[in-house]
Amino acid sequence: MGSTGVYVPMLVNAYLNYDRRQDDNVADQAYLAPLTTPNFKSLQLTSDFIQHDIFDDLPSGPYLSSADIYRVSPGRTGIYVHWVLPKLYRNGITGSATADIQARAAQAGFSSAVAEPGQPIFPQVPTRWVIMRRIMRPDGNTNAGWPVQRYNNGSLLTRQDNMDGAGSGGDVDTGGVLTQFFMIEGDSVRSITNVPPEEDLEVTSAPLIDFDLPPIQQGQTFLGQRWKLTDWPGESDTRTHIPLTVHRAANPYFSDYQPQNSSVFSFFDDMSFVDSVGTGKFCNVNVSYTIVGFHADARTDPLHAAFVDGQTKFDRLTTLGLGPTNNSTRTDLDRHDTMRTFCYGSMYNISWERALPDKDDSNTVPPTWQRNITFPADEVQTEFLKSHPVAVGTNALDALFGWLRTIPDDVDTGLPPQDVVSAGLIKKNLLKLQTLLLDLNDNLDAQLQAEDMLAMNNYVPSGSGTLWHLQSQHDETKNVTPDDQTVELLRALNENQTRINAFFRQQKRYQAELFGVWWTYACDRMKGGDAGNAERRQKASEAAGKLKQKLWVLSNTIPQLQNTVEGIKNNPALKDQLKEGAEVPFYLQRDPTILIAGLRSAWPANTDAPLAVRSISNTTSSSGTHSPGYTCTWNFPNTLRNYLPSDVVESTERIFLESCMNWTDDLHTLDHDLYYKSGDRFTGSNGWFPLFIEWEAEYYLVPFDNWIFSEAAASGVVGYHIKNGVDVAGGTITGDVRTVTGRCPIIPQASSVLATTLQQAFDRIGSSKLPLTLDQQDEVIKSARELDTVSTPLVGFTNQLVTQMEGTHMTPVIYDSNGKPQFIDSSASAVSGELSLSATDLAFGGTEIDTTPFASLVSIPADRRVYSPFKPCTHGQFRFIKFNIIDKFGQIVQGIKTTCDLSHGRGATQMPLFPCLGEAYSVDSITVNGVDKAKTVVPRDDQLCEFVQLPPSINQNARINADFLVDHSTGLVNELRPASDWDNPVRGWLVLNYANASMQVFGSDGVFIGEFQALTGTPISKPFPTDQFGINSPDPFLAKLLRQIESPGSLRLLFSSLSNTVATIQANPSSYSESMLSIFGRPLALVSFGVSLELADPPLKNQCTIAPTDPNVGTTDVTSYQFPVKVGDKDNVFDGLYGYFQNEAPGKYNPSSPYILPDTRTFYTYHPSDAAGTTHQLITPAALTLKPYYPDPTSGTLMSIQRLAASTILSAIVDPFTPIHLYSTLLPIKTLSIPRSALDAGLNQIATFFRTGPILLDEPLPAYDEGRRVGQDYRLDDESKAPTSNGMIGVPGVSYYTFPLYTMLLPLGCLSLLHTRCPLLRLSLEPDRGNCPYE
């Protein structure tokens, strides 16, 4: 019984490499880069060779040349064919636990691999690729000779000839079509000593890092080998093969960059032939290729691997991101029989033409360039020099909007004619949504509910660890309040868990520092005299020893603390009630994102969707006959059956047969046009597949004290700007310069990010709140999807500012087959031994060794006596000095190109790049002689700007903490602590009654304290005298506020300010209307909260050893900064801040002394009273500043206490239904909301009172009874404690109501009160006119 063949489509690209082009305008042409190999010498542990990355940047093209001369030599001209590996081989599996990784790998059918936490594992790729090449005359004449160009003494003749003796070189002439098969062994490994001297390894094989060889011998091993199928020795040969994955070559572009994967995932066809006369090259022919790939060892095929846990074929396909087959029923997919993967793709009718002179012409005439083929790379190069279509923003959307604002409405978008949507319409629709969907400076208004989601794209989150909750806490159906013991246990559990989280982060940091010490020493150990080397060794050894000691302590402390956590979790009060959650993550500002307009992604369409595949039941009987229904109607030679393994012959033949039908009859039986985007037909356009960008920039630091955190006058958007009057040009600013460089991929998902984000935003906001109809929404999404744009972040920008480099670099430790660490070679062992480091000491991987310190390897252009290369925070401007787009075949489009104009007296000149800028990165302007110009560190005479302005951001992971604080006072000691999930953070309630300009005050438990009239200028307390406030105000904050209200004018100003704010806050939710309190006014909550800026790790330090020479330069870190944070938002109806009081000096929590009460004399608000003087202050964006801090888990102080000690404490009046927002632009918006459980409990406890009168009664009041007086310690919600009524009175009116009368002693007499929990004793629906003195 055979296996079901599953056909997985691939996109195939081809690049036609001819002789050097002779076009005159070379400046407008893309540059074909030379073939390069990794710099394997940089893996050696010597100061002369070691480097941060073994892959050097490709050289920019000289301004008088369009191709490297060696790329167009006769032996390298031909057709380069590359196939895009399907995504099932690109997706890896990773996790935090080995068992989890292995289980998921088994589900996906990955072959056995060592699973390490944090390290991705990938499936093995197909290693056998059968290529069918079919050559046909362009005129279709089957009787004419084959046009060729012959070799003569190693050089190609310029005359054209005919090939005779067709077939002698392996090409089979079948009816005027030359058919040839080739075999690629992608996993074949060869030493350079086994390669024939005549073979050009740079085009026939790929460079490989051989883990079995020491670094000094790297560069002598090559991967991949090709044969004509008739020459292939088959699988029985004793050649060396290795398990091959996309990750194996340690090159992120290995599977896609053709010059470095020849004969692995690509095929070079030099278009040569051999006949009875000699050798030569074909010319003026049409060529088609079809590629079929399969696994040489079926056990490595993820579709063939054994199913686990009852998996079906459908389950395995879905796990690998493959869609249901289009010719299989679900019944077939529910079966458990095995499958085989066959990857296939084609490129048809490639026009290989070389317009040669006639054979009688002189042999000295050089071949001319074939101009019938277009070069898209040249078109992009021309457009770049003309329009500079680059935008820079905090994310792809910000960059896109920056570009859209600069284009005219009638610009051509390059869309297909059948789907033309004018750029004007795209611009109109998307800019209409900018205020709705994306405001990168954190300004919200009534229609910006989706902004939080989109603004998160500006930041990269990092895991912070686990946090524990009670299961009932997240289940609204279980409104259960835990007892005090459970709450205290949960608090203790999370206190310990938070320490564990911090310990794990600290452990990773110490490991990274230990690797950094080793790397820096390896780079610098032999630079300097003997005395300098000895001193360097001593310092490095001491640093390594301290880090080893710290790691040893952590290795013992963490298990002990984990045991403590497990003990608390197993406490009967918590067991089976816990739910694991995540601690609030830390964030890092994303590297600037670049967007290139007019550059269409060449990746297959719909890469995010399941890839549609087909299957054919492939069963071969013992007699060798084909499966039922299969008939090969094409005149195939017996080549396939004679040379291929029997279990793949039929499936391979089927694909080649379909390919021949497609090629001749244009029958789209493959049915993958959506995937191919019609890319399987050669249309006269040479290959162009943008793959990655190599860039270099100059970064100038603008000192932090030159920036101001403020609101823009026109939009109210808050952000950083360079202060007015500050001249950033010249002086010390231009001297503090750094060069940053990097390589970033053009990822397949980039083209659909915009459309996906818009769809998510539409869904989240809801159609009812959008300014667009459903049809308009569809139109916008369609427009966005069709925009020819690609985007990618400038990877490594931030890391280099903190003196860290990314790249594929030397590491000292590898693991043997048993997983035991060992040094990679004797030199690694020697260097490590000098620092007393063993292989076990350095046996860690993952992010700890992703980057390497600068050490002495990176040149610093700034004066190292004055400036430090280490930048703990970003705040400056940068400009590109190199911007190269490289495609998969090595074509380079240079965004910054060197030109020469001798006719105007200009020699070699570099043309600057003028990018469009997103709102957050826009450069401030300055007016010079009435003309607005960009305020840049290097000014220009015109109004163009080549700089990008980067506002302040923190260059390491951090987060803004915001916690409600509750009073945990005991005895004479006042103590605050963060509110737990079950604490009520409300310290008092205020209810505004606009009908009579009064304010009612309630305690945190809902007990009524009093009512205060605001219009008279002095408070009139009812029903209790002011000297009894303290009895009902146990909270110190509330008590102090009430004392402040007693001062003349304070209440009137406060009431006015709160009333002004009400109009800017969203309406109370409908659920509040069920409360009796809603009849009388709007409730406000009194709360206290602490705000802090926490670092995930200790402050970063300088890792560059060549600068500065002055030990006092560069010693500052991020903790020396004070960052402003805006509290609340005046124009945001979704922000609930009415105002706040600052705590009296020092304003920080001090665990060794009672906490400081708020200063209620000054109220900070966005809506101060018109009559306010010094008692009310307008909130400014920079009113609150935070200093970053790092809580050390080894200090012995509780993490929560350290957090409070670093917090700025504010006491505020807030809307209980609406969150408070904290804006910094450094980090995502932080929100703080009163928990729903606390909110419901607080509102339900509030007793509702209202005043009545004056009224006329038709009967006297009952006599006053002192024993029945209701005092300030009333409990009307408890019938057993409430005083009994002393009679009923009738109230005249339209309806006659009676209610219990409670007498309260007041200076002005008696007052009747109604409590919501006391039922009406009698209610007459009709008026009793006999008892009413007035009609």
Side-chain angles (χ1 to χ4, degrees):
M1 178 66 69
S3 301
T4 301
V6 176
Y7 296 169
V8 182
M10 303 182 302
L11 181 64
V12 176
N13 303 104
Y15 177 75
L16 283 63
N17 186 27
Y18 288 87
D19 301 276
R20 177 187 294 273
R21 290 182 278 172
Q22 302 299 320
D23 290 346
D24 295 332
N25 194 6
V26 178
D28 291 339
Q29 294 180 4
Y31 170 66
L32 185 60
L35 296 176
T36 60
T37 59
N39 181 10
F40 290 113
K41 286 186 177 180
S42 67
L43 296 175
Q44 299 180 32
L45 281 181
T46 63
S47 301
D48 294 332
F49 295 130
I50 189 170
Q51 291 293 330
H52 298 287
D53 193 356
I54 67 173
F55 300 101
D56 298 326
D57 281 2
L58 294 173
S60 297
Y63 63 93
L64 294 179
S65 177
S66 62
D68 178 71
I69 186 172
Y70 297 105
R71 288 295 301 272
V72 291
S73 62
R76 294 184 174 183
T77 58
I79 302 177
Y80 293 82
V81 182
H82 178 270
W83 46 93
V84 179
L85 201 63
K87 68 176 185 179
L88 76 125
Y89 297 107
R90 299 171 178 269
N91 296 335
I93 292 176
T94 187
S96 58
T98 301
D100 174 63
I101 301 174
Q102 292 174 336
R104 293 167 56 199
Q107 289 280 343
F110 290 9
S111 58
S112 59
V114 177
E116 298 179 17
Q119 294 295 307
I121 59 174
F122 293 86
Q124 294 191 38
V125 300
T127 54
R128 298 295 178 268
W129 303 92
V130 185
I131 301 171
M132 179 178 71
R133 182 188 71 182
R134 295 172 65 80
I135 299 178
M136 187 176 181
R137 300 174 185 85
D139 56 6
N141 188 344
T142 60
N143 297 317
W146 296 95
V148 297
Q149 187 180 7
R150 294 187 179 277
Y151 280 103
N152 182 21
N153 295 325
S155 300
L156 281 174
L157 299 177
T158 57
R159 64 183 184 184
Q160 181 173 310
D161 204 344
N162 290 327
M163 182 185 74
D164 58 11
S168 60
D171 293 284
V172 179
D173 192 339
T174 56
V177 178
L178 291 179
T179 302
Q180 177 71 277
F181 291 94
F182 300 88
M183 169 62 78
I184 295 287
E185 275 193 6
D187 59 348
S188 177
V189 176
R190 293 183 293 169
S191 169
I192 194 171
T193 58
N194 297 326
V195 177
E198 67 274 10
E199 182 176 342
D200 187 352
L201 275 173
E202 289 186 324
V203 295
T204 62
S205 290
L208 177 69
I209 296 179
D210 191 341
F211 295 143
D212 294 329
L213 294 178
I216 196 172
Q217 297 181 24
Q218 295 297 331
Q220 303 179 26
T221 306
F222 295 85
L223 181 67
Q225 196 170 359
R226 50 167 286 182
W227 292 267
K228 290 182 179 180
L229 185 58
T230 53
D231 298 332
W232 183 48
E235 299 291 354
S236 60
D237 192 76
T238 58
R239 298 179 305 281
T240 302
H241 300 90
I242 61 170
L244 185 61
T245 68
V246 294
H247 194 60
R248 170 60 180 80
N251 180 356
Y253 305 102
F254 169 60
S255 62
D256 299 303
Y257 188 53
Q258 186 277 325
Q260 292 182 358
N261 65 27
S262 293
S263 298
V264 182
F265 304 118
S266 63
F267 168 71
F268 169 58
D269 187 356
D270 61 2
M271 296 302 295
S272 63
F273 72 92
V274 179
D275 65 1
S276 59
V277 178
T279 61
K281 286 179 175 285
F282 287 102
C283 56
N284 298 333
V285 293
N286 282 0
V287 189
S288 294
Y289 299 93
T290 295
I291 299 99
V292 179
F294 55 89
H295 293 259
D297 185 350
R299 294 171 297 180
T300 65
D301 188 339
L303 291 182
H304 186 77
F307 295 149
V308 296
D309 300 330
Q311 271 187 318
T312 63
K313 292 195 291 185
F314 179 83
D315 296 331
R316 177 62 57 81
L317 291 171
T318 303
T319 301
L320 293 171
L322 304 178
T325 54
N326 61 1
N327 62 342
S328 298
T329 64
R330 183 55 191 264
T331 301
D332 176 64
L333 295 177
D334 287 337
R335 296 170 56 183
H336 304 276
D337 50 318
T338 59
M339 298 177 285
R340 288 293 302 271
T341 304
F342 292 91
C343 301
Y344 70 98
S346 298
M347 175 60 72
Y348 301 111
N349 298 326
I350 299 173
S351 179
W352 174 259
E353 300 179 13
R354 302 188 64 178
L356 300 174
D358 293 335
K359 65 173 61 178
D360 294 334
D361 288 351
S362 170
N363 290 345
T364 61
V365 177
T368 60
W369 173 245
Q370 172 51 257
R371 301 172 186 268
N372 293 331
I373 295 178
T374 61
F375 281 73
D378 291 351
E379 298 171 2
V380 175
Q381 179 66 78
T382 302
E383 185 63 27
F384 240 96
L385 298 179
K386 181 175 67 175
S387 63
H388 302 249
V390 176
V392 185
T394 56
N395 56 45
L397 282 176
D398 183 41
L400 175 65
F401 287 129
W403 172 68
L404 287 173
R405 284 192 295 269
T406 65
I407 64 172
D409 292 344
D410 57 350
V411 72
D412 180 19
T413 62
L415 300 180
Q418 67 271 21
D419 293 319
V420 169
V421 181
S422 72
L425 180 59
I426 296 174
K427 178 179 178 181
K428 176 182 177 182
N429 286 337
L430 293 181
L431 290 182
K432 182 190 300 182
L433 291 171
Q434 184 179 18
T435 56
L436 173 69
L437 298 176
L438 189 64
D439 189 330
L440 297 165
N441 291 285
D442 305 336
N443 183 38
L444 301 176
D445 61 38
Q447 294 182 336
L448 294 183
Q449 296 183 58
E451 182 188 280
D452 290 359
M453 174 189 69
L454 298 178
M456 293 295 291
N457 294 330
N458 300 345
Y459 311 95
V460 180
S462 64
S464 54
T466 299
L467 210 60
W468 299 97
H469 307 275
L470 297 181
Q471 294 182 10
S472 58
Q473 180 181 335
H474 301 282
D475 189 349
E476 296 182 356
T477 64
K478 299 179 180 179
N479 189 14
V480 179
T481 301
D483 56 36
D484 293 343
Q485 180 192 9
T486 301
V487 171
E488 289 303 321
L489 283 171
L490 183 62
R491 181 180 288 109
L493 173 63
N494 281 325
E495 181 69 43
N496 284 279
Q497 183 64 60
T498 303
R499 287 190 69 204
I500 292 176
N501 298 340
F503 277 137
F504 277 127
R505 293 193 300 271
Q506 197 175 71
Q507 186 179 51
K508 285 182 174 292
R509 173 63 179 276
Y510 290 158
Q511 289 173 342
E513 289 184 0
L514 183 59
F515 173 72
V517 169
W518 178 90
W519 172 271
T520 301
Y521 179 71
C523 295
D524 300 347
R525 59 192 287 260
M526 301 304 293
K527 292 185 177 180
D530 293 339
N533 293 338
E535 180 182 3
R536 189 178 296 112
R537 175 178 177 176
Q538 181 181 357
K539 290 182 177 180
S541 182
E542 290 176 354
K546 291 179 180 179
L547 288 169
K548 284 176 58 178
Q549 177 65 23
K550 291 179 179 180
L551 287 169
W552 181 86
V553 171
L554 287 178
S555 66
N556 288 277
T557 304
I558 291 176
Q560 295 174 8
L561 204 53
Q562 288 175 325
N563 291 334
T564 301
V565 165
E566 289 301 316
I568 300 176
K569 288 167 59 179
N570 291 324
N571 189 290
L574 288 180
K575 193 173 184 180
D576 301 327
Q577 296 190 52
L578 291 173
K579 180 178 181 180
E580 185 175 354
E583 192 179 357
V584 176
F586 294 90
Y587 294 92
L588 180 67
Q589 177 80 40
R590 190 180 299 275
D591 287 324
T593 296
I594 54 174
L595 177 140
I596 304 175
L599 186 66
R600 173 165 291 185
S601 173
W603 289 97
N606 302 322
T607 54
D608 292 331
L611 176 60
V613 297
R614 298 180 301 143
S615 69
I616 297 177
S617 180
N618 181 11
T619 55
T620 305
S621 66
S622 59
S623 61
T625 59
H626 290 292
S627 56
Y630 172 70
T631 304
C632 184
T633 58
W634 202 265
N635 184 24
F636 272 121
N638 289 326
T639 305
L640 298 178
R641 301 171 195 173
N642 291 341
Y643 291 93
L644 291 183
S646 59
D647 58 342
V648 301
V649 168
E650 181 177 332
S651 292
T652 306
E653 279 189 350
R654 285 180 180 274
I655 296 172
F656 286 141
L657 174 60
E658 286 190 340
S659 172
C660 294
M661 296 173 63
N662 270 284
W663 180 53
T664 56
D665 301 328
D666 201 28
L667 300 176
H668 287 272
T669 56
L670 298 182
D671 194 26
H672 283 292
D673 279 346
L674 288 178
Y675 178 82
Y676 286 128
K677 294 189 293 189
S678 299
D680 56 351
R681 296 292 191 276
F682 186 77
T683 58
S685 179
N686 207 355
W688 167 241
F689 194 114
L691 186 62
F692 57 91
I693 298 170
E694 292 182 345
W695 56 272
E696 188 173 354
E698 288 178 345
Y699 170 79
Y700 295 83
L701 182 135
V702 178
F704 186 69
D705 56 8
N706 288 341
W707 298 80
I708 184 173
F709 188 67
S710 61
E711 292 180 348
S715 63
V717 173
V718 67
Y720 284 96
H721 305 276
I722 296 176
K723 294 177 180 178
N724 293 330
V726 172
D727 182 14
V728 297
T732 60
I733 294 179
T734 54
D736 196 354
V737 60
R738 278 281 317 279
T739 300
V740 290
T741 183
R743 183 185 302 114
C744 48
I746 299 176
I747 56 177
Q749 293 84 0
S751 60
S752 62
V753 166
L754 174 61
T756 301
T757 305
L758 291 175
Q759 184 64 66
Q760 291 174 346
F762 291 160
D763 295 341
R764 179 170 176 176
I765 298 173
S767 298
S768 61
K769 296 181 180 180
L770 282 169
L772 303 175
T773 65
L774 290 176
D775 290 341
Q776 289 174 326
Q777 294 175 39
D778 293 339
E779 180 183 44
V780 169
I781 292 175
K782 179 175 181 291
S783 302
R785 195 178 298 279
E786 292 174 339
L787 281 172
D788 286 346
T789 61
V790 297
S791 63
T792 181
L794 296 177
V795 178
F797 194 103
T798 300
N799 275 335
Q800 291 179 57
L801 293 184
V802 293
T803 58
Q804 295 281 336
M805 289 290 289
E806 298 181 355
T808 302
H809 51 263
M810 166 69 173
T811 57
V813 173
I814 59 174
Y815 296 86
D816 61 20
S817 58
N818 297 320
K820 183 180 179 180
Q822 61 184 25
F823 286 115
I824 194 169
D825 66 354
S826 58
S827 62
S829 177
V831 171
S832 303
E834 293 175 9
L835 303 181
S836 300
L837 293 174
S838 67
T840 303
D841 293 333
L842 296 169
F844 42 79
T847 57
E848 298 87 350
I849 59 174
D850 281 351
T851 61
T852 50
F854 271 20
S856 59
L857 302 182
V858 179
S859 61
I860 306 298
D863 186 346
R864 61 177 180 167
R865 298 169 298 177
V866 181
Y867 306 107
S868 170
F870 174 73
K871 311 300 179 187
C873 295
T874 297
H875 39 83
Q877 296 179 346
F878 79 88
R879 63 178 174 182
F880 290 108
I881 56 176
K882 183 177 78 172
F883 194 93
N884 291 344
I885 304 172
I886 294 97
D887 96 317
K888 67 164 53 178
F889 297 106
Q891 299 175 92
I892 301 179
V893 169
Q894 301 174 79
I896 299 176
K897 196 164 187 177
T898 302
T899 61
C900 181
D901 189 357
L902 297 178
S903 62
H904 292 83
R906 189 177 73 230
T909 305
Q910 192 178 59
M911 299 179 61
L913 180 65
F914 303 108
C916 307
L917 302 179
E919 185 175 1
Y921 288 163
S922 295
V923 177
D924 293 316
S925 62
I926 185 173
T927 303
V928 179
N929 298 326
V931 179
D932 289 338
K933 293 185 177 181
K935 186 191 292 187
T936 59
V937 294
V938 181
R940 293 179 58 88
D941 295 332
D942 52 30
Q943 293 181 277
L944 298 176
C945 179
E946 56 184 308
F947 279 89
V948 180
Q949 182 165 296
L950 300 180
S953 63
I954 299 176
N955 290 340
Q956 65 181 96
N957 285 303
R959 67 184 176 194
I960 292 179
N961 298 317
D963 304 290
F964 284 120
L965 304 177
V966 294
D967 184 13
H968 194 57
S969 303
T970 57
L972 299 177
V973 178
N974 294 323
E975 180 185 353
L976 291 178
R977 73 175 185 194
S980 71
D981 295 329
W982 304 101
D983 284 325
N984 180 9
V986 178
R987 308 184 68 177
W989 295 92
L990 307 179
V991 178
L992 302 183
N993 190 335
Y994 306 107
N996 57 11
S998 68
M999 181 173 68
Q1000 293 182 359
V1001 181
F1002 301 84
S1004 61
D1005 58 357
V1007 174
F1008 183 71
I1009 293 176
E1011 182 177 21
F1012 303 87
Q1013 290 285 340
L1015 296 180
T1016 61
T1018 57
I1020 301 175
S1021 61
K1022 296 178 180 180
F1024 307 115
T1026 56
D1027 60 359
Q1028 299 182 18
F1029 286 167
I1031 299 176
N1032 282 318
S1033 306
D1035 185 272
F1037 170 33
L1038 180 56
K1040 189 170 184 181
L1041 178 62
L1042 293 176
R1043 292 287 183 264
Q1044 180 64 33
I1045 288 176
E1046 290 185 88
S1047 62
S1050 293
L1051 177 59
R1052 184 176 70 253
L1053 296 179
L1054 179 62
F1055 186 91
S1056 176
S1057 176
L1058 297 179
S1059 299
N1060 292 337
T1061 308
V1062 167
T1064 66
I1065 305 292
Q1066 66 176 345
N1068 290 331
S1070 57
S1071 59
Y1072 173 63
S1073 63
E1074 302 174 0
S1075 171
M1076 181 67 74
L1077 194 62
S1078 63
I1079 299 175
F1080 306 105
R1082 188 183 187 106
L1084 305 178
L1086 302 179
V1087 297
S1088 294
F1089 59 91
V1091 184
S1092 61
L1093 181 53
E1094 180 184 351
L1095 302 176
D1097 305 293
L1100 296 174
K1101 301 295 183 181
N1102 183 21
Q1103 299 292 311
C1104 180
T1105 58
I1106 63 172
T1109 54
D1110 186 345
N1112 296 318
V1113 174
T1115 57
T1116 59
D1117 56 39
V1118 67
T1119 59
S1120 64
Y1121 285 76
Q1122 290 275 357
F1123 294 104
V1125 175
K1126 179 185 175 185
V1127 184
D1129 193 338
K1130 176 181 178 180
D1131 302 316
N1132 175 17
V1133 301
F1134 297 106
D1135 184 84
L1137 180 70
Y1138 277 71
Y1140 63 82
F1141 305 96
Q1142 290 185 340
N1143 276 36
E1144 296 172 342
K1148 302 278 186 178
Y1149 177 81
N1150 186 346
S1152 63
S1153 64
Y1155 72 82
I1156 306 300
L1157 290 174
D1159 181 0
T1160 56
R1161 294 171 298 178
T1162 305
F1163 185 57
Y1164 295 85
T1165 176
Y1166 286 105
H1167 301 277
S1169 173
D1170 294 337
T1174 58
T1175 59
H1176 282 207
Q1177 295 290 329
L1178 179 67
I1179 298 176
T1180 62
L1184 173 65
T1185 59
L1186 300 178
K1187 181 179 180 179
Y1189 83 102
Y1190 171 67
D1192 187 357
T1194 65
S1195 66
T1197 303
L1198 293 177
M1199 300 291 288
S1200 58
I1201 295 298
Q1202 294 187 66
R1203 182 160 166 169
L1204 271 177
S1207 295
T1208 295
I1209 299 174
L1210 301 177
S1211 296
I1213 301 176
V1214 302
D1215 186 289
F1217 309 106
T1218 310
I1220 308 169
H1221 294 76
L1222 302 172
Y1223 308 87
S1224 66
T1225 71
L1226 304 169
L1227 295 163
I1229 303 169
K1230 182 67 178 180
T1231 60
L1232 189 61
S1233 301
I1234 297 176
R1236 179 62 183 270
S1237 57
L1239 185 62
D1240 291 343
L1243 292 178
N1244 290 336
Q1245 290 174 354
I1246 291 179
T1248 305
F1249 292 86
F1250 65 91
R1251 292 186 299 111
T1252 62
I1255 58 175
L1256 297 176
L1257 303 177
D1258 58 357
E1259 57 184 273
L1261 288 173
Y1264 173 72
D1265 185 349
E1266 174 66 23
R1268 298 175 184 272
R1269 182 171 67 88
V1270 177
Q1272 54 273 15
D1273 57 348
Y1274 74 92
R1275 286 294 181 267
L1276 300 184
D1277 56 337
D1278 188 344
E1279 295 184 4
S1280 64
K1281 297 180 181 180
T1284 59
S1285 173
N1286 60 339
M1288 308 295 293
I1289 59 172
V1291 179
V1294 177
S1295 295
Y1296 198 111
Y1297 297 94
T1298 60
F1299 45 86
L1301 178 66
Y1302 298 116
T1303 303
M1304 299 190 181
L1305 181 63
L1306 298 173
L1308 301 180
C1310 297
L1311 181 68
S1312 298
L1313 302 175
L1314 173 68
H1315 190 279
T1316 56
R1317 288 184 173 84
C1318 291
L1320 296 175
L1321 301 185
R1322 181 164 64 87
L1323 172 62
S1324 174
L1325 299 179
E1326 296 296 330
D1328 187 345
R1329 300 182 185 275
N1331 293 330
C1332 183
Y1334 297 98
E1335 290 294 330

